[in-house]
Amino acid sequence: MNKLTTLKKIIFACMTGYCFCISANASVNEYLIRNVRVFDGQRSFEKRTVLISDGKIKNSDFHGPTPVTAIEVSGKGKTLLPGLIDSHVHAYQDFDLPLLFGVTTEIDMFTSVAVMQDFNRKMQHKQNDDQSDVISAGTLATAPGGHGTEYGIPIATLTKPEQAQAWVDARIAEGSHFIKIVMEEGSDKHPINSLNMATVKALIQAAHKRSRLAVVHVSSLKDAQAALDANADGLVHLFTGTTIGDDDLKKFVKTAKNKHAFIIPTFSVLESIAGIKAEDVLQDQRLTNLLNISQLQALKKMYGKTENKSILQVPNVSTAALNAAQVPILAGTDAGNAGTQYGISLHHELASLVNAGLSPSAALASATSVPAKAFRLNDRGRIANGYKADLLLVEGDPDKDINATRNIINIWKDGRLVNDLRQQKLLAVSKENKAQKTVFQLPADGRISLFSEEKLGSPFGAGWFPSNDERMGGKSSVSLTLSGTEPAGQPALNIDAKVQSGFAYPWAGVVFFPGSDPGQAANLSAAKKISFKIKGDGKPYNVGFYIQGNYIPITKQLKSSNEWQTVKLLLDDFKGLDLSIVTMITFYAGPEIETYHFTIADVRLLPEEN
């Protein structure tokens, strides 16, 4: 719920009677799915034939012979569903991943404006049939220093209600589909700034004045009740807890119903906070074969360090009560956070909703027709004439057994069969995983810095390069020059860094790419230590490792002096470092705003015996 974290492509081979060759997929735009069980987003039909053409559902109850221009798909023993909708994600990477699990639409609760605008452009020009549609809030509404300001994306914050209308209008001008508001005070141990209630109310009113939905991030019953009282259209989380009073629960449910609000429980991330892994999908190779090592790592990594199922009592009880009162429940995962992953987590979320008291049919509706209605997406979420041909064909009866959504046979996005993308992803993951299992042979002396006037070279990898926060919108700068040698005669690299404000975590320094291409992961598991020589101006510096799928380095800080020091660090002390997927090694200054000067030489990766 509180953090963002992880990349790549997808699965499945052609199966006789189910799929068609890749070249055919690219040109065919008409399919007839014959004699198939249909869950239309609201109810089930035992036997129907559905015709899709030109990206739309042309006839949801077709009778007659197969049109000569259409390819017929047998629906025997299978169920056809609307494409799934994940109602809470943070879309900032792995854009190809959701579609390969049948998630054809994502509701994004916070991403960069540039990413949102790129999604909007592609959807407008119908150029994203190889990705899910993304309906985004863009920037969230939060207080200075509040939740959402910690991720390095520049955010316009608010402090008073008089700013609300201009803030909302600016978001709409950027392309936001709806407005997301943060009510988050943190914990007693880690309090953070939050919007005051007057500003929250003003934001909701400002959004409604422009005919936009206003949804609210909460993590407590107090804030949930207050947001509903202020006429929020929906809550994008429930909240953890071991107990909730009967009167409090009744009031909460009654308010949600009377206000016609919807609720997105986000069990996937709440379970991560409780230290509970999604073992059901982690153990399903039909799904995990689509994830590379770093994508699997994100799904396995929990926020909670120890398992604590008791704190899920409140969201489970609350969901059951809300569902019994017919308050709309939407399936959302909060993908982008630890313990979640795009696409695959929605299948787990559906199971969690059933565990919380929804019927399998109600859970399916929570990922199809219900979010489509809640977010005013009138062209999807149903199998009905004229709707988008975003469809999922699965083996079995998911309206009876929710886990049948994982028996994926075919996926259509805007009428295009995307099984070729799944096949490409499966092959790419297999190749990548095989390469990453091969441990890189370190040089005999371990030295990875081969600096010279001609080149900042290395015995392997793409070499050494300047690095700063410019690509993240920052203003820091760096200059690299050779400056003679260190005492043992190794060429030394001078690093002059000017760290300036402009990015949430400004930095400047140097990086080494161990892969043959910049950003490509390398398996450095043979290394147990990193050794280097350093001197400088006495200010603190950082040495760190980037791993595939992470944009934040795993670092250690050290101080330089005007005399050469030899530093040796055990790699086991870099918590969370997976040496099999290292993309960069970095030496840098920051985040303190300063001018820095330091020099490094004789950088080595060493085995245990050294």
Side-chain angles (χ1 to χ4, degrees):
M1 187 189 298
N2 295 321
K3 298 180 182 176
L4 298 173
T5 47
T6 212
L7 249 94
K8 268 184 169 121
K9 286 191 180 177
I10 237 131
I11 178 170
F12 263 29
C14 292
M15 300 166 63
T16 303
Y18 297 161
C19 309
F20 307 94
C21 66
I22 291 173
S23 60
N25 290 346
S27 58
V28 172
N29 64 6
E30 192 169 40
Y31 293 88
L32 188 78
I33 304 120
R34 186 176 288 282
N35 297 331
V36 67
R37 291 186 79 253
V38 169
F39 176 78
D40 73 350
Q42 296 178 337
R43 57 189 181 131
S44 298
F45 301 87
E46 285 302 316
K47 193 174 184 181
R48 281 199 166 182
T49 296
V50 178
L51 177 65
I52 62 177
S53 181
D54 295 324
K56 302 286 187 182
I57 298 170
K58 188 172 183 179
N59 193 329
S60 62
D61 190 15
F62 180 84
H63 297 275
T66 302
V68 294
T69 54
I71 286 184
E72 182 175 312
V73 178
S74 172
K76 185 177 180 181
K78 306 172 190 69
T79 300
L80 188 68
L81 313 166
L84 302 178
I85 301 173
D86 189 334
S87 293
H88 189 141
V89 306
H90 295 281
Y92 67 98
Q93 62 179 20
D94 295 325
F95 300 141
D96 60 336
L97 205 51
L99 182 57
L100 303 174
F101 293 96
V103 177
T104 55
T105 300
E106 295 181 296
I107 309 297
D108 171 70
M109 294 293 169
F110 174 38
T111 192
S112 74
V113 172
V115 167
M116 174 186 67
Q117 290 176 341
D118 187 53
F119 279 126
N120 288 348
R121 179 187 60 79
K122 288 180 178 178
M123 290 189 293
Q124 181 182 359
H125 295 289
K126 302 185 185 302
Q127 295 174 343
N128 72 322
D129 59 359
D130 60 345
Q131 296 179 354
S132 64
D133 287 350
V134 176
I135 310 300
S136 181
T139 299
L140 44 71
T142 192
H147 176 52
T149 63
E150 68 268 42
Y151 303 124
I153 299 175
I155 293 175
T157 57
L158 302 88
T159 57
K160 53 189 177 182
E162 291 81 6
Q163 299 169 313
Q165 193 66 64
W167 191 95
V168 166
D169 291 346
R171 304 292 76 74
I172 294 171
E174 288 170 348
S176 294
H177 297 259
F178 60 96
I179 301 300
K180 180 188 175 184
I181 302 162
V182 173
M183 296 180 70
E184 176 63 66
E185 297 174 345
S187 64
D188 293 338
K189 292 182 179 179
H190 302 286
I192 56 177
N193 292 336
S194 185
L195 295 169
N196 59 52
M197 200 61 227
T199 303
V200 171
K201 289 179 180 178
L203 283 163
I204 293 171
Q205 292 169 359
H208 290 168
K209 186 175 180 179
R210 300 293 187 247
S211 300
R212 292 298 198 277
L213 295 175
V215 301
V216 183
H217 163 112
V218 298
S219 60
S220 69
L221 173 61
K222 175 178 72 72
D223 285 345
Q225 185 66 53
L228 293 176
D229 287 337
N231 295 317
D233 295 291
L235 303 180
V236 301
H237 291 292
L238 278 177
F239 33 87
T240 57
T242 56
T243 60
I244 183 170
D246 289 343
D247 290 343
D248 287 338
L249 180 58
K250 288 177 182 177
K251 181 181 178 182
F252 174 57
V253 172
K254 183 178 180 180
T255 307
K257 186 172 180 63
N258 290 344
K259 297 286 187 176
H260 305 287
F262 58 81
I263 310 294
I264 310 173
T266 60
F267 277 105
S268 295
V269 78
L270 297 183
E271 290 169 13
S272 175
I273 292 169
I276 299 171
K277 291 184 179 180
E279 292 291 355
D280 57 331
V281 292
L282 281 169
Q283 299 302 320
D284 193 334
Q285 289 191 350
R286 298 169 303 172
L287 303 179
T288 57
N289 282 347
L290 291 167
L291 303 178
N292 61 31
I293 291 174
S294 64
Q295 290 165 343
L296 266 176
Q297 183 183 58
L299 186 57
K300 292 176 180 178
K301 185 178 180 181
M302 300 291 102
Y303 285 131
K305 303 307 179 187
T306 57
E307 188 174 297
N308 184 6
K309 291 183 179 179
S310 65
I311 65 172
L312 297 176
Q313 180 68 15
V314 168
N316 275 290
V317 168
S318 300
T319 298
L322 290 161
N323 181 58
Q326 298 183 323
V327 173
I329 303 293
L330 281 59
T333 62
D334 210 357
N337 282 280
T340 70
Q341 189 52 272
Y342 303 103
I344 188 173
S345 286
L346 190 60
H347 294 276
H348 173 73
E349 187 74 23
L350 293 174
S352 294
L353 289 172
V354 171
N355 184 61
L358 274 68
S359 68
S361 288
L364 292 177
S366 78
T368 54
S369 62
V370 176
K373 182 179 179 180
F375 281 93
R376 304 171 183 172
L377 307 176
N378 300 322
D379 61 347
R380 70 196 72 198
R382 297 282 311 282
I383 296 179
N385 294 351
Y387 278 59
K388 281 165 60 75
D390 292 354
L391 299 166
L392 173 62
L393 184 67
V394 301
E395 191 85 42
D397 303 338
D399 53 334
K400 299 175 183 176
D401 174 9
I402 196 63
N403 291 333
T405 63
R406 306 166 192 189
N407 304 329
I408 296 172
I409 303 299
N410 285 346
I411 300 165
W412 288 267
K413 172 66 167 52
D414 289 320
R416 179 195 173 190
L417 189 64
V418 301
N419 293 58
D420 55 331
L421 299 179
R422 304 183 85 225
Q423 173 67 7
Q424 291 166 21
K425 176 66 170 182
L426 178 62
L427 295 174
V429 168
S430 176
K431 181 180 179 181
E432 184 177 342
N433 288 348
K434 183 178 180 181
Q436 289 175 349
K437 289 178 182 177
T438 303
V439 178
F440 200 89
Q441 188 70 36
L442 298 176
D445 60 0
R447 186 178 293 119
I448 61 173
S449 57
L450 302 179
F451 302 146
S452 69
E453 292 287 351
E454 293 76 30
K455 185 179 180 183
L456 299 180
S458 58
F460 62 90
W464 296 79
F465 295 88
S467 172
N468 58 29
D469 55 32
E470 185 178 9
R471 63 188 176 88
M472 302 297 292
K475 299 178 182 178
S476 302
S477 59
V478 63
S479 173
L480 305 181
T481 57
L482 287 178
S483 61
T485 62
E486 51 84 35
Q490 286 298 314
L493 181 64
N494 234 9
I495 302 162
D496 288 285
K498 188 175 183 181
V499 177
Q500 302 187 83
S501 59
F503 177 63
Y505 190 92
W507 87 90
V510 64
V511 296
F512 166 63
F513 294 107
S516 56
D517 295 314
Q520 182 181 26
N523 190 333
L524 303 181
S525 298
K528 304 302 178 185
K529 299 177 184 176
I530 184 168
S531 169
F532 53 91
K533 295 183 174 71
I534 185 171
K535 72 173 182 176
D537 51 16
K539 295 171 184 174
Y541 294 94
N542 305 278
V543 57
F545 291 79
Y546 288 85
I547 59 176
Q548 188 179 59
N550 282 12
Y551 298 110
I552 301 174
I554 301 165
T555 62
K556 291 286 184 183
Q557 191 176 78
L558 52 128
K559 277 194 174 183
S560 63
S561 71
N562 58 9
E563 300 293 332
W564 282 106
Q565 308 172 64
T566 299
V567 178
K568 290 186 178 183
L569 300 173
L570 292 173
L571 298 183
D572 280 347
D573 291 338
F574 288 77
K575 300 303 181 186
L577 175 59
D578 184 342
L579 285 167
S580 70
I581 50 172
V582 175
T583 56
M584 287 183 276
I585 300 173
T586 180
F587 296 83
Y588 69 94
E592 290 77 16
I593 307 304
E594 276 272 15
T595 298
Y596 298 84
H597 172 83
F598 66 107
T599 306
I600 61 170
D602 197 18
V603 184
R604 305 187 188 212
L605 293 174
L606 300 170
E608 197 160 19
E609 57 268 21
N610 289 74

